[in-house]
């Protein structure tokens, strides 16, 4: 990573590989999630240090409900504990926490902690951590479309007013810049229904490292690869050259 080059302002991460990390140590999968939380703590801190202003992580997908009941309930317990301890520490470090996804499906206790962590940290400006829980990119798009359709039915907008800007305003993270860099750990090379709308021009980086082992050095490697890419946003390389000249 070259600190004098552009540092991605917004990084999105699919933190994959917790289960395999634990299984390789003959430990229950939940241990992998605990180790994953520790890795997340280190990565948030490192992002703050190198000047990343926003980090969005996939903590629980809409599809994760189908995992064994025991794993789901252990994950919920982990979230509950994390929302007490980690939220306090993140707040002390000036990090704003936001949650994206259909949080209404969680227990009232967890929903209350989510609301509290969000409101407690809302004024923090050093960095933003977006945690995607019960989130799916298609759900996000459908949800936004439904809101716009509702507004059209009420006569607040006309169907022909619907454009990318209006959709973006309704979509999760609509007030943020799109992720510059999307990292997936754990060796799989797919997007798994994460930030479908928001990643239209995002650079992808796939790492075979399992999430609990994803260290600051690994993040720096991802940033270095990002820095070596030319982002064209549909333009030609020559046009980009003229713009930056
Ligand atoms: C994917 O690994 C990981 C998850 C489904 C959970 C990720 C959650 C954390 C890291 C804890 C974060 C906590 C908060 C409060 C933000 P996997 O289980 O699919 O791994 P595998 O592919 O090896 O089975």
């Amino acid at each position: 990573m070259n600190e004098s080059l552009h540092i991605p302002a917004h990084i999105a991460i699919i933190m994959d590989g917790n289960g395999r990390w634990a299984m390789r140590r003959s430990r229950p999968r939940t241990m992998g999630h605990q180790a994953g939380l520790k890795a997340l703590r280190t990565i948030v801190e490192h992002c703050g240090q190198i000047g990343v202003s926003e980090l969005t992580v996939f903590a629980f997908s809409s599809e994760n409900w189908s995992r064994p009941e025991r794993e789901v309930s252990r994950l919920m317990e982990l979230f509950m504990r994390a929302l007490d301890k980690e939220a306090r520490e993140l707040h002390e470090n000036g990090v704003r926490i936001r949650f994206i996804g259909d949080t209404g499906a969680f227990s009232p206790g967890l929903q209350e902690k989510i609301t509290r962590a969000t409101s407690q940290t809302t004024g923090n400006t050093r960095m933003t951590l977006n945690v995607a829980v019960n989130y799916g990119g298609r759900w996000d798009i459908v949800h936004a479309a439904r809101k716009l359709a509702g507004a059209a039915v009420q006569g607040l907008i006309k169907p022909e007013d619907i454009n990318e800007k209006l959709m973006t305003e309704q979509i999760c993270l609509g007030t943020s810049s799109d992720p510059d860099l999307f990292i997936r750990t754990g060796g799989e090379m797919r997007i798994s229904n994460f930030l479908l709308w928001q990643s239209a021009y995002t650079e992808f980086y796939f790492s075979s490292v399992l999430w609990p082992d994803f260290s600051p050095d690994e993040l720096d490697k991802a940033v270095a690869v990002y820095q070596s890419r030319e982002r064209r946003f549909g333009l030609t390389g020559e046009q980009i050259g003229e713009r930056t000249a």
Side-chain angles (χ1 to χ4, degrees):
M1 183 186 75
N2 184 338
E3 286 184 35
S4 63
L5 291 178
H6 179 68
I7 297 288
H10 184 175
I11 300 183
I13 308 184
I14 296 186
M15 310 179 285
D16 199 10
N18 293 347
R20 276 166 287 161
W21 185 90
M23 309 266 274
R24 281 180 196 174
R25 287 161 178 77
S26 307
R27 306 304 301 267
R29 295 175 57 84
T30 329
M31 284 286 296
H33 297 314
Q34 270 171 28
L37 178 61
K38 200 166 155 218
L40 176 59
R41 204 182 292 143
T42 311
I43 290 298
V44 172
E45 205 179 303
H46 186 63
C47 281
Q49 282 163 1
I50 64 172
V52 172
S53 52
E54 190 157 357
L55 182 65
T56 302
V57 295
F58 210 178
F60 193 81
S61 74
S62 334
E63 292 75 27
N64 286 153
W65 291 113
S66 312
R67 290 194 171 201
E69 211 179 303
R70 189 181 152 81
E71 181 173 346
V72 173
S73 68
R74 285 290 161 86
L75 260 172
M76 294 301 141
E77 284 168 22
L78 182 68
F79 291 154
M80 291 283 262
R81 280 204 309 277
L83 282 174
D84 283 330
K85 182 171 176 285
E86 309 297 334
R88 196 172 345 109
E89 279 179 22
L90 289 167
H91 181 44
E92 281 163 14
N93 286 297
V95 179
R96 173 172 65 149
I97 314 173
R98 298 190 302 184
F99 293 83
I100 58 167
D102 191 1
T103 52
F106 292 121
S107 71
L110 189 49
Q111 287 188 52
E112 197 191 308
K113 284 185 197 292
I114 285 176
T115 309
R116 193 171 333 130
T118 308
S119 58
Q120 187 186 27
T121 62
T122 191
N124 294 342
T125 52
R126 188 164 161 246
M127 195 186 149
T128 297
L129 172 66
N130 304 306
V131 183
V133 281
N134 197 20
Y135 175 85
R138 289 182 176 176
W139 165 84
D140 194 0
I141 294 168
V142 167
H143 192 240
R146 203 176 280 168
K147 282 199 261 178
L148 290 178
V153 166
Q154 285 180 44
L156 300 171
I157 55 168
K158 294 197 285 295
E160 56 271 28
D161 292 337
I162 298 175
N163 54 21
E164 290 185 17
K165 184 173 172 287
L166 276 194
M167 271 294 280
T168 300
E169 281 168 12
Q170 298 304 327
I171 218 112
C172 291
L173 308 180
T175 53
S176 301
S177 61
D178 285 344
D180 300 293
L181 172 62
F182 184 125
I183 298 173
R184 180 175 187 147
T185 65
E188 311 290 356
M189 295 194 209
R190 52 177 171 260
I191 187 167
S192 293
N193 204 12
F194 192 39
L195 303 179
L196 298 181
W197 177 273
Q198 299 86 340
S199 299
Y201 289 102
T202 300
E203 295 294 328
F204 283 74
Y205 176 85
F206 297 100
S207 165
S208 57
V209 173
L210 303 178
W211 174 250
D213 292 329
F214 197 79
S215 60
D217 277 353
E218 294 296 335
L219 187 99
D220 289 351
K221 263 193 235 170
V223 172
V225 169
Y226 167 84
Q227 289 176 329
S228 72
R229 303 235 181 111
E230 179 187 58
R231 301 185 76 193
R232 292 203 293 270
F233 300 96
L235 302 179
T236 66
E238 291 71 30
Q239 286 173 303
I240 297 294
E242 281 163 21
R243 282 184 168 196
T244 50

